Every structure is written in structure tokens, then in C-alpha cells.
Amino acid sequence: EGSGALSGSAQSYSQGGVAQGQTHHQVPPQIQPDTQTQGLSLADMLAAKKAEMQQAGSRSGFERSTAGLQAAGDNGQLTNGPATGLLAGASGERVRSNDHSLLSTVNDAIEANRVELYLQPIVGLPERELQYYEAFSRLRNEIGQLILPRDYMAVAEAAELAPIIDNQIVLRSIQVIQRLVERGKGRKVFCNLSLNSLRDADFFAEFMDFMEANRWLADHLVFEFTEEAFERSGAYEFERMAFIANLGFRFSLDQITRLDIDFKALADRRFGFVKINSSLLLGNMEGSKAQIHSADLNHYLNRLNIIMIVDMVEREAVVRQLRDYNVQYAQGNLFCEPKPVRPEVFGSAAEVAA
């Protein structure tokens, strides 16, 4: 899954980074992939690493992660190939597959640049005004059918393809963030990261170089991990999370299945958001192993500087119940289902509908 020790430039992030209270740029500069530490452009870095890895008979994590994307030009802009449809109508038929052809389908989608960015709004209650976005990946097979993460992610992780997908979604999310901020509508975008992305030494080193050169993104980009991934993390993964946090980024915990989590420990690791399923929050307290009553949970998390987002909100009756639990943020198909980003968002004449 990845090297057991830090390699290359990733080692420098154990002591460096931004202090927790440091202010970042409010208006983003053009994304500059140049690293201040090495004085090399991303294109130069990729070329050097490609030559190095070709001699070793393999490909670097970041180089293969940018397959189908033109990572950087002379002007430092990030560009990429067309993405299907900020937000278009839902499109495409979902496909499920559990046979051996799924891995081939996933690999083909990556190689053909059919990794698509979908966004779902997170709203503030009770006004239901847009506050944040969550970014989702979708793969599209050769006949246009959609493959959802729950159908392909296990296969992608087993084949060590998850960092490639993560990288494409992060890069495209950054393009959306740029456009939003340019229009004065800067909002945080939540992007999921897999443990494989943390463990992939080549990917992570170049990922950190890029984020180091673009620290202003810490005000706009939140990296999200599932509860299951967090619980499978050890000292190595937590150390790499700390490297990211040292640059000023915050994390979100998703797919929570129980409420007896050590939220203080989460806060200490720079988790500033937790997402709790509406049925878990409103359901059986004994079954959720909660030590704090659900009605008091939001106040408790606020004291830890953690924002609670209740997701999987599908019915109006749930929204009415959430009022009694002092819930301030919610997400779910009731408000808006995940939708593809309009393709022109990735073009020079893009207009983002925030």
C-alpha cells in the first residue's frame, strides 16, 4: 500500500507548516505548482521523477495520479480534460458490478479521464442557505454508465488506484474553489481522502509540495476521512495527517456509526467537522452508545471548535426534528442531490452558480 517510512520532501513537514491561528491569503493567487523549497516547477519535478522511476521500472504516485490532466502549463494554471456535467442536472445510469471486469472498468475510466466531479451542497438551518460543498467522485464506463464509490472503491484501493482518483478530484475541486473565490463566493469544499493516499510515499510527497506552495487553500479545502479509515489509522497515518494540518488544513470525519467517539482527540488532530447520519442522531441513544444526549451534542462540539453536520436528510419531518437538537448544518437529497459540475467550470469562460 505504500512505504513504511517518509520519503523525499515529505520529511520536512514534521516541523514546518502554518500555526493554527495564522491568517491565510483571502484572495487566491494563481495556483503556482512551483515549490519554494526546491525551486523547481511541477513540470520539472514530474519530468525528473518520471526519468527516475523509469530507471527503476515503475511510475511515480503523482505522475500516474495526473493521468488525463495537464497538471501545469507555463503560466502555472491547472487545466484538465472535459468533465461531464457549478451544477448540471443529474445524468447517466448507475451501473453495479461485482465481477472481475470491474477492475478493468475502473482502470479504463482513469486512463480515459472519465473521473467526474460531483458536488452536493451543505446548507445552514433553518434558512437552508448554501454554506459548503462536498465533492464526490464518479466514474463513467465506456457506454456512459455511472459507477459510484461504494461500488468501485474497494477494488480501487486493493489495486492502489485510490490515490489517482483522489488527486483528480482534489485538483478539480481546487478549480471550483478558484472560480468561487474569484466571484466573491468562496466556500469550503470537502474532499475525501483514502488511507492509500496517505500511505503512498510518492503521491504524498508531491501532494505536500503542492499544498505547501498553495497554503491559501487551507481556508477553502477540507479533507475528509471516514470513521472506519480513522479507526484503521496508526502512528504512520496520523503523522501524515499532522503534516497536512501543519499547513493549516482541517479535517472532517464522515460515515460515523457511533456517538461514543473521543471528540476531544479529534479536535486535537485538527478535525473541525463531523458528519452524523440523521437516523443516528435522532435514533436510539443506547444503540448509538452515546455518552452525551443528542440534544446537547452540538453545544458540546461547539466548545471543541467542531462543527456538526447532520447528513442523509431525506424528509421534511427530519428537518423539523433537527430544530430540537440545535442543528445548524445539514446535508442530504432533500436539499439537493449530488450533481455533476458544469463542464464550462473547467474552461476559461466558466461561470459558477453558487
Side-chain angles (χ1 to χ4, degrees), residues 171-236:
L171 291 178
R172 294 180 181 184
S173 296
I174 290 171
Q175 290 178 290
V176 170
I177 289 169
Q178 275 193 297
R179 206 52 55 97
L180 288 169
V181 175
E182 287 170 1
R183 296 192 60 194
K185 299 180 179 180
R187 304 183 189 280
K188 293 186 188 298
V189 176
F190 291 64
C191 285
N192 292 274
L193 281 184
S194 68
L195 289 185
N196 280 2
S197 291
L198 297 181
R199 294 167 177 166
D200 188 312
D202 294 314
F203 170 89
F204 189 77
E206 308 249 7
F207 170 86
M208 287 297 295
D209 284 334
F210 182 87
M211 295 303 167
E212 165 74 18
N214 294 282
R215 295 189 184 195
W216 65 270
L217 287 169
D219 288 332
H220 306 281
L221 191 58
V222 177
F223 295 111
E224 191 161 87
F225 298 92
T226 66
E227 177 194 78
E228 187 267 343
F230 184 83
E231 291 182 342
R232 285 196 294 118
S233 298
Y236 181 71

Side-chain angles (χ1 to χ4, degrees), residues 42-82:
L42 182 57
D44 291 338
M45 290 169 58
L46 291 180
K49 184 168 284 293
K50 184 175 182 180
E52 173 188 344
M53 299 304 291
Q54 282 178 338
Q55 291 180 354
S58 60
R59 301 164 65 192
S60 78
F62 195 85
E63 185 269 334
R64 69 173 183 264
S65 293
T66 53
L69 295 178
Q70 181 181 349
D74 293 337
N75 60 0
Q77 292 277 6
L78 287 174
T79 59
N80 65 286

Side-chain angles (χ1 to χ4, degrees), residues 232-259:
R232 285 196 294 118
S233 298
Y236 181 71
E237 291 80 13
F238 287 136
E239 184 178 43
R240 293 201 158 191
M241 290 182 194
F243 295 161
I244 300 172
N246 283 343
L247 297 180
F249 290 90
R250 300 175 75 191
F251 306 120
S252 172
L253 193 69
D254 191 18
Q255 299 182 26
I256 293 175
T257 61
R258 55 190 180 83
L259 297 180

Side-chain angles (χ1 to χ4, degrees), residues 32-36 38-48 72-74 76 206:
Q32 298 293 338
D34 296 347
T35 63
Q36 299 174 358
Q38 298 182 5
L40 295 176
S41 70
L42 182 57
D44 291 338
M45 290 169 58
L46 291 180
D74 293 337
E206 308 249 7

